[in-house]
Amino acid sequence: MPHMNSHSSKKIYTTDGVPLEQSLKKVERRNKIKAFLLVAPLLLFLLVGYIFPILNLLVRSVDNRLISELLPNMGTALEDWKGDELPSEEIYKTFFIDLEAAHKAKISGKVSTRLNYEKSGFKSLINKTRRKLKNFENENYKEQFIKLHKRWGEIEYWQALKTALPPINYDKYLNSFDLERNFKGEVVAIPEERQIHRILWLRTLYVALGVTICCFFLAYPIAHMLATLPLRYSNLLMICVLLPFWTSLLVRTSSWMVLLQSQGVINDIIVFFGIVSDKNRLELMFNMNGTFIAMTQILLPFMVLPLYSVMKTIPPTMMRAGYSLGATPFTSFRKIYFPLTLPGIGAGSLLVFILAIGYYITPALVGGPSGSLISNRIAYHMKSTLDWAMASAMGTILLVSVLLMYWLYNKIVGIDNIKLG
C-alpha cells in the first residue's frame, strides 16, 4: 500500500480529537449567532416601529373590503348591472336583506360612513332607511325604497355603491390630487369647489423649499463663526444652538404664538419704534408668515450642525493660500471655501427639507387654515372624517416623494458626498 506523504491529504485535529476545519466552522457559526442576537433588538424595533407600520399604511390605502364584507350579497347582485338604468327589483331585495342584516348586527353605521366617502348624502340616507326597515313588506322592494326616499330612485347612488364594492381600490391616490374615477372608469377632475389637495401639495413643497433656503442663509454664517472662533467662545455659542433641542417642540411653538400675535412682543416692539402704527399691526399669526418664521427657527439647528462639522475640518490656511496667490477674499471664498462646504450644505438641506415636508404641529398651531400643510390634512382625515384609506394614501405619496427626492439627490450629487460630522 503506497505511503501518502502529501501535506494536503493530512487532517489536522484539535486536542479533543475534532477536525480543525469542523471546529472552525462551529466557532464561526457560534459567532454569527452571537452577532445576530446582538442586533436582534434593533431589528425587532425596526420591524415593529417602521416596517410593519409602513406596510400597514400601504395596505390600508388600497384595502376596500369593508363594503363587500358588510354587504356580502351585493357584489354578486350588482356584478352584471351596467349602471345605465335603475337596478332591478331583485337587486333592491338583495340590498334590503344585506342592510337589514347589517342593522341587526349593529354595523350599518360603518356601511353609511364608508358609502358617504363615495357619494355625499349616503350617510343620512342609510341612517334614515335603517329605521324604517321593520315597516317593509315582502314585495315591491324597489317601490318601497323609492317611496321611503327619492334618492333611492337616483342612479348615482347605486353607481357609488357598486364603485365601493371591489376589494382593492386605488381611487384614494387619485383623490389625493383632486381627481376621481367616474362610473365608466374615466379619470376626471373633482369639482372645483371641492378641490383642496393640489393646493396643499404645492404649498407643502413651497414651504419646505422656502424654509430650507432660509435656514441655509441663516445657518451658513452661524456655522462659519462657530468653526472659526476660539474654542471657549464657540462652545458657548454651540450650547445656544443646541438649547432648543432641550425644550419641547410644543413649548417652542407656543412661544412663537405669544411672540407673533397681534398684541405680541414683536408687534409691540415694531409699534414702539414707530415702524408701523398701532392700527396697522403686522399679521404674523395664522398665515404663511407665522409658518415660515416658526419652522425656520425650529429647524435651523439641523442646518447649522452639518455645516459646522464640515467647516471645522477646513484648514484656515486654505483661504490664506488663496490670498497669497492674489485672489480677493470673495474669490477665495467662492473658489476654495464654498466648494469645500458643499457636503455639509447637501446634508443640512436634505435633512431640513425632509423634516419640513412632513411637519405637523407648527403649521397646525401657528399657520392656521391658510398656513396648513399636507400633514395637517392627513391628520384631519384620521381624526375627523375617519377616512383612514385617504390618510394612508396621502401618507404613502408623501413617503414616496421623500424617497424619490433622496434618490434624485443620490443620482445628481451622490449620497457619499454628504457629511453629518
Side-chain angles (χ1 to χ4, degrees), residues 355-396:
L355 290 172
I357 203 172
Y359 236 55
Y360 166 68
I361 295 179
T362 304
L365 296 179
V366 180
S370 62
S372 61
L373 306 181
I374 200 68
S375 55
N376 304 111
R377 192 66 181 177
I378 294 174
Y380 169 75
H381 283 301
M382 293 191 69
K383 295 191 298 184
S384 299
T385 66
L386 300 180
D387 191 353
W388 282 37
M390 186 67 178
S392 300
M394 297 175 73
T396 302

Side-chain angles (χ1 to χ4, degrees), residues 56-99:
N56 184 46
L57 190 76
L58 296 173
V59 171
R60 280 183 176 273
S61 64
V62 297
D63 186 5
N64 195 47
R65 295 172 297 174
L66 184 62
I67 292 299
S68 59
E69 292 175 354
L70 299 179
L71 304 176
N73 300 311
M74 288 305 296
T76 304
L78 290 173
E79 185 176 2
D80 297 327
W81 182 60
K82 303 300 181 182
D84 49 2
E85 59 182 12
L86 284 176
S88 63
E89 171 69 19
E90 190 63 28
I91 293 177
Y92 275 91
K93 180 180 179 180
T94 303
F95 180 69
F96 169 80
I97 295 172
D98 280 354
L99 187 60

